[in-house]
Amino acid sequence: MQDDATTDPAGALRLEGITKDFGPNRVLKGVTMDLRAGRVTALLGANGAGKSTLIKILSGIYERQDGRILVSGQAVDISTPMTAAQHGIQTVHQRIDDSIIPDLTVAENLVFEEMVRGSGPRVRTLKSLLPRAREIAQTLDLEWSDNFLLKDAFEIGIADGQLLLLARALNHRPKVLILDEPTSTLSATETDRLFTLVRRLRDEGVAIMYVTHRLSEVRTLADDLVVLRDGRLQQEQSAPFDMPAAVEAMLGKTIQVEVSELTEHRGERVALELRGIQLLPRSAPIDLDLRYGEVTGVIGLIGAGKTELAQAVFGAERLRAGSMRLDGAEFAPRSTRDAVRRGIYLAPEDRAAQAMLLGWTVATTGSLPFLAKISRGSVVNRRAERRMAADIINDYGVVATGPDQEMDALSGGNQQKVVVARWLRQSPRIMLLDEPFRGVDLGARRDLAHKAREQAEAGACVVVLVSDVEELREVADRVVVLAEGQTYLDAYASEIDNSTIIASMSEVA
Amino acid sequence: MAGTTEDTSALDRARDVIVKYGFIAVTIVLFLYFAATEPAFATSSSLFSMLKFVSVTAILGLGVMFTMVVGGLDLSIGSVAGLAVQMAAMTMVFYNMTGATAVGVVLLAGVLVGLINAFLIVVCKIPDLLATLGMMFVIQGAKLIPVSGQSVTSGMVLRDGSEAPGRFTQGFLQIDRGFVGPIPLPVLIMLVLVIASWFFLSRTTWGRVMYAIGANPEAARLTGVRVGYYRGLAYVISGVLASVGGLILVSRIGQGDVNAGASSLLEAVAVALVGRSVLGQGKPNAWGTLLGAVLIAIVLTGLTMKGFQYYHQDTAKGAVLILALIFSYTLSRKKIRYTSAT
């Protein structure tokens, strides 16, 4: 804004009304935004907001349905990665493994695009590539030795791999550089090095789109911020940022449900003591007590460590550090079976990948964790199994033709009811529900929240992990805010208001 | 998505019917054709000899099927059968022991190979195909060492110049030649194993869990299933079934042929794959495996009666397999995998 005079008023890159459908789903619903030269624009958005679709359109992997892309005020057509490059747009994707070519050396990876394009001689020795490779590396001031350049590109580690891709991208002298969650696997010093580079590029006049889930990075690095939700641009800000407002825009819906609707329960007895637990590679250890007789709502953005917490308690992943005590006794589950035997259940985050079985029915999906209960001497009693499924259907109001209907045929909400009910109905000691309301309609959400609260009232320790304040309000007695692997708030729901929760979700670094 | 017009949905329904019953129809049509054109084909003795002929393939196919249920594939099955052939012969011929001992030794060997496969796959995390491919070579090679590459026959001369002390016992030879009522013993063994496998897989918790692992191992693990244990178990079962097949085979040929069993791998994999396709189940199952074996028997017997030479057989088997794969991959409308719900 202040440099209107010096740069093109239309900005380096302008998107107008970009839309994209996948089958019947409209993922992008008309996105209009500007990237300005010499500024870092952070792109924020929750899962499924449409971020990665937008990036893929800009890098020529997907084609947009509708709308215009303007580079320096000129409408351009981007349909392949090649045309994106021609118009000065370069992307460093999140998964660097997809972009680095294995079994080739660092040098070959650096000059790869030139080799493919066929500039230069067809046949050449590896050695003859080195000067050009060194030149490309130097665009980032990387003083890489010949020895290093001749290494297999897969052996150099993630941080250097990322620098390699960045150097390759910068070799094109891009006007627009898109970085998709570049720091998710980097250490603190590697992150600092990357930030220095990004700032330098910005000062050289490159327009940078920086995609991240880490608000601390937005605060230290970005000049502008845009929030995408539900395929639409929800908010634009320039530094200094109002982070709570950005988080609210990410999560959506001004929240009407305040505390009053719940009869708050406060548990007395501690079920699980977590001591010195480290959730993320770089996070500091935390302590947390989970109690019987209450619903603990753990809220945090993506990457906050919620799933890591749930998986560790369930024995599905090892703890990085720390210990757990269950009812006062040492608890170190070696497998999910250890957890299930002790009444610790988990309904996982990604229903399709982690709970659904291809071609299975309501009855067989519903009975899988507790086959022993419906079988005599290892022989499954199919009548008991169908009765179990019929009970799930009745108790949870599942819309299905009956126990023998295939799960695929049910709606998302009804599928979720089945995969949550199969655990909740078996009197859990600790019930972990990881994003139980994802892809679930409002009615099903209400039913599931109600059933979860019933279990807590009956004495269970229920832990619901969500990223949405409204969902949290609907189910939780107690609120724990998790951000970048740390607990930032631990209070009873009646004691705090939504703005406090949102403020502490964004209160990092 | 489902068809929008009446026409396409009618087409889809027709396709479902073809997928479900097409293979059985092919089997019946072929059977009727051969029965009508070759009078000798449909006699009961011919039928039983056909089933007897196919019993080894069917039992090995059951073994492959178990490993397919947990999402793997046991390529060592043929070599385990071959190992069984040789170990049975060695036990009786070299060491002059009883047929019952030979049976025990062979079954133990099957368990042992299964455990090694399980170790390589579950503990060492080698992909199923590669681990069992390696085991296939090791077994095929290792079994040649104690016999210096020679087939084991009664009365053969040993390395020290003496004559082998033992011979195949009469009881052992009855495994292939015996009858229970009108039914040949190998056919009975095959039917018992088919029924037992069917019951195990579709009626017990063990089988249910194995299918769950094949359908989505991560979802199975997150319900508290010991995925590694059951995958390993499938390979042990496969090893034992291969040994049973090998016992019938050695009893049939009456000597420890070093090449026995080598060709049965492809047939066993073929019938298990055919078995997955029939009845539109889309998952490996015991009755389907039997049907696959029977179909191959019908085709081979029919062709032989029609005067085709042995060297046409592999082509016929391959054609049957390809047809089955078309049923399950090309024609079936069943979804292959899930897409994320968000």
Side-chain angles (χ1 to χ4, degrees), chain A residues 314 316 336-337 351-354 356-358 360 364 367 371 375 378-380 382 385 408 422-423 438, chain B residues 199 203-206 208-209 211-212 215-216 218-219 221-224 226 335-336 338-342:
Chain A
F314 187 57
T336 53
R337 188 160 172 259
R351 183 174 63 241
Q354 299 177 309
M356 298 279 283
L357 297 133
L358 187 63
W360 284 44
T364 52
S367 67
L371 279 175
S375 53
S378 289
V379 177
V380 179
R382 299 213 288 183
E385 179 174 52
D408 312 300
R422 63 179 179 175
W423 296 109
R438 186 175 287 173
Chain B
F199 186 81
R203 289 289 183 270
T204 70
T205 57
W206 305 65
R208 183 65 69 75
V209 167
Y211 275 126
N216 184 345
E218 177 67 0
R221 183 176 80 101
L222 292 179
T223 57
R226 289 173 297 166
K335 273 184 278 173
I336 310 279
Y338 286 107
T339 47
S340 168
T342 54

Side-chain angles (χ1 to χ4, degrees), chain A residues 443-493:
Chain A
R445 182 170 115 189
R446 201 137 287 175
D447 294 346
L448 286 171
H450 179 68
K451 293 288 182 185
R453 292 195 56 76
E454 267 182 13
Q455 282 302 319
E457 278 159 34
C461 165
V462 178
V463 183
V464 181
L465 305 109
V466 293
S467 48
D468 183 305
V469 182
E470 191 185 341
E471 290 175 7
L472 178 84
R473 282 299 187 187
E474 195 157 334
V475 71
D477 296 309
R478 174 186 166 206
V479 176
V480 175
V481 173
L482 212 56
E484 297 180 19
Q486 302 289 304
T487 46
Y488 278 89
L489 181 75
D490 183 353
Y492 280 96

Side-chain angles (χ1 to χ4, degrees), chain A residues 131-147:
Chain A
R132 182 71 192 118
R134 223 175 290 129
E135 238 174 86
I136 296 174
Q138 265 155 13
T139 50
L140 276 183
D141 290 337
L142 300 170
E143 295 300 336
W144 282 348
S145 66
D146 286 1
N147 210 346

Side-chain angles (χ1 to χ4, degrees), chain B residues 27-82:
Chain B
T27 312
I28 293 173
V29 166
L30 271 176
F31 182 82
L32 292 177
Y33 168 74
F34 286 129
T37 56
E38 295 292 332
F41 184 83
T43 60
S44 75
S45 71
S46 151
L47 288 181
F48 275 132
S49 77
M50 207 155 74
L51 286 174
K52 191 176 151 184
F53 166 73
V54 87
S55 58
V56 174
T57 303
I59 291 168
L60 263 51
L62 289 176
V64 172
M65 171 197 73
F66 270 97
T67 59
M68 274 169 45
V69 167
V70 295
L73 192 65
D74 187 354
L75 292 184
S76 68
I77 192 121
S79 57
V80 177

